[in-house]
Amino acid sequence: EKIAQHQLASRVLTHFQDKLGYEIIEYTLEDDLRPGNPIPDCDIAIFFIHDWPTIHEDPNWLKGFIDIFDKIPVTVPTKDQVFSIFTKTNYLSKLIPVLRKEGCMQPTKIVSKELDLDNIVEWALQLDEKKVVTKENFSAGKEGVTELKIKPIAALKEDLRRTRLSLQETHRQYPFFDPKFIIQKYEKRFLTEPEVRIFFSNGVFLYAVSHVGWVGDVQWPIRVSSGDVKQELKVIKELVFTTMPDLQKYPLLRIDFGPQAQLNEIEMWPDMFGGPNLDLTGSEWSNFLNTVAKGIIAQGTSLLAEKRNDRNESPLNNTGAYSLDTKE
């Protein structure tokens, strides 16, 4: 994944440096942000990362990461784009009513501090399952995802109460964090049936991969054709993009589905699994990089122009920073 991000960065930064005359500054999450090195003074920051500090890993590190979006005039992606995806309860609050009506999502609720937990417990008891799953905002992978037994009822209610209190305390210390969380029916078919991951650039389908279980060094996804994911693509086009048209403005987006074309999650800095050929090679991989790079360049240059127009200024001082994930 790091190699993929470096190859993507090379295409974008060559354009900003050679075509637009920008000076390039590298600022990494691990070596610069984590120890508290000052955020560079620049006009635009472009992020090339696939791993980022989560609220569980180091909330202070995550706060520093979020601060970048307030301290640099233009960022790609924008702060709104980051919060729209990282705050899972945000996009799911819009998609749940639409997708549940069409049977394209597991039974799911969003738990706020006002919601009566007795109602959630009663809802969970009606599920044909022994467990539920909770998912928190600003989390990734297994972090922030917890499986809870539905019975005994008192234990489930206490688990939910503690989860809510813990997240409210996190919000008190870090106000950018939304303490709401998701509770969802446990899907045991993920153990035996594939999860499909579909990649887009500005709303255009790029490629899709499929895999059963957790991806590892010896367990790698396989590529699947657009014909293999017709139902998932239909859900995305007719329901997801229609409900949230701004998702079509991301230079790179991945939408994941479980069994029976049921939406699982949306990611904006996804693992790419080696691209269309799964090995970072070939003309398809090159075309993929060019497509995503063009999207990033277009968004960055457009935002810079808007900023100059807002300030009624001549071109900025042409200093750009990019962030690379070096956590491995």
Side-chain angles (χ1 to χ4, degrees):
E1 297 301 334
K2 186 191 294 185
I3 293 172
Q5 291 293 342
H6 273 276
Q7 292 183 9
L8 177 59
S10 176
R11 282 165 166 76
V12 175
L13 300 180
T14 295
H15 181 88
F16 273 89
Q17 189 170 39
D18 296 350
K19 304 291 186 182
L20 303 179
Y22 276 78
E23 175 190 353
I24 304 300
I25 304 169
E26 180 177 348
Y27 185 84
T28 69
L29 302 185
E30 181 74 39
D31 298 329
D32 295 306
L33 180 63
R34 189 167 199 168
N37 294 342
I39 295 170
D41 182 15
C42 57
D43 297 319
I44 179 172
I46 303 175
F47 293 83
F48 301 96
I49 57 179
H50 85 282
D51 200 2
W52 44 276
T54 67
I55 196 72
H56 295 272
E57 188 173 16
D58 187 336
N60 289 317
W61 191 11
L62 175 58
K63 182 181 182 302
F65 176 70
I66 296 301
D67 285 346
I68 294 176
F69 297 90
D70 295 321
K71 293 181 178 180
I72 295 179
V74 172
T75 64
V76 180
T78 66
K79 184 177 181 179
D80 285 346
Q81 285 180 315
V82 171
F83 271 75
S84 178
I85 299 300
F86 283 5
T87 307
K88 294 182 175 71
T89 54
N90 182 326
Y91 71 78
L92 285 180
S93 67
K94 302 170 185 176
L95 292 177
I96 287 172
V98 178
L99 297 180
R100 284 293 301 145
K101 181 179 179 181
E102 301 297 327
C104 300
M105 190 172 193
Q106 284 288 322
T108 305
K109 295 285 187 180
I110 294 176
V111 182
S112 65
K113 65 179 181 180
E114 299 85 9
L115 194 61
D116 188 342
L117 294 182
D118 286 331
N119 292 338
I120 293 296
V121 171
E122 182 178 349
W123 168 82
L125 287 170
Q126 297 174 8
L127 302 175
D128 184 23
E129 188 53 68
K130 295 181 180 180
K131 293 189 290 186
V132 290
V133 176
T134 62
K135 300 178 181 180
E136 303 168 12
N137 291 318
F138 283 90
S139 58
K142 295 181 180 179
E143 294 181 359
V145 178
T146 305
E147 296 178 6
L148 301 176
K149 293 182 179 179
I150 294 177
K151 294 182 179 180
I153 297 173
L156 173 61
K157 185 175 180 180
E158 179 62 15
D159 287 337
L160 293 173
R161 186 187 71 83
R162 290 182 178 180
T163 296
R164 186 159 65 178
L165 286 176
S166 175
L167 297 180
Q168 288 173 354
E169 174 59 21
T170 300
H171 171 70
R172 187 188 68 78
Q173 297 182 52
Y174 303 94
F176 68 84
F177 175 77
D178 190 327
K180 294 192 289 292
F181 65 96
I182 300 156
I183 183 169
Q184 192 171 52
K185 179 183 178 181
Y186 174 76
E187 178 53 271
K188 55 179 174 288
R189 287 180 295 177
F190 271 122
L191 300 174
T192 57
E193 297 184 31
E195 180 177 18
V196 174
R197 298 169 168 97
I198 307 177
F199 295 80
F200 293 86
S201 179
N202 295 110
V204 177
F205 170 78
L206 298 176
Y207 67 98
V209 299
S210 175
H211 185 71
V212 178
W214 290 98
V215 176
D217 292 339
V218 295
Q219 294 179 310
W220 204 245
I222 60 171
R223 182 179 180 180
V224 292
S225 70
S226 59
D228 294 325
V229 291
K230 284 183 179 179
Q231 186 59 34
E232 288 84 355
L233 290 174
K234 182 179 180 181
V235 171
I236 293 169
K237 180 180 179 180
E238 297 182 3
L239 301 178
V240 177
F241 284 165
T242 301
T243 305
M244 297 185 66
D246 283 350
L247 291 177
Q248 299 175 85
K249 297 179 181 179
Y250 287 76
L252 181 59
L253 194 73
R254 198 185 80 199
I255 305 180
D256 300 348
F257 287 85
Q260 294 182 319
Q262 295 192 334
L263 179 75
N264 185 24
E265 63 180 346
I266 302 174
E267 295 194 19
M268 58 174 292
W269 280 314
D271 288 346
M272 291 177 269
F273 307 115
N277 294 323
L278 310 177
D279 60 2
L280 305 180
T281 64
S283 60
E284 286 185 288
W285 171 243
S286 180
N287 291 338
F288 165 81
L289 291 175
N290 288 336
T291 298
V292 177
K294 287 178 181 178
I296 293 172
I297 292 167
Q299 182 176 2
T301 53
S302 175
L303 291 172
L304 284 167
E306 289 177 12
K307 185 65 67 174
R308 288 195 294 269
N309 290 336
D310 289 344
R311 295 177 176 176
N312 194 26
E313 293 179 352
S314 58
L316 301 172
N317 62 26
N318 282 16
T319 301
Y322 71 100
S323 173
L324 280 169
D325 173 20
T326 59
K327 291 173 67 178
E328 291 82 358

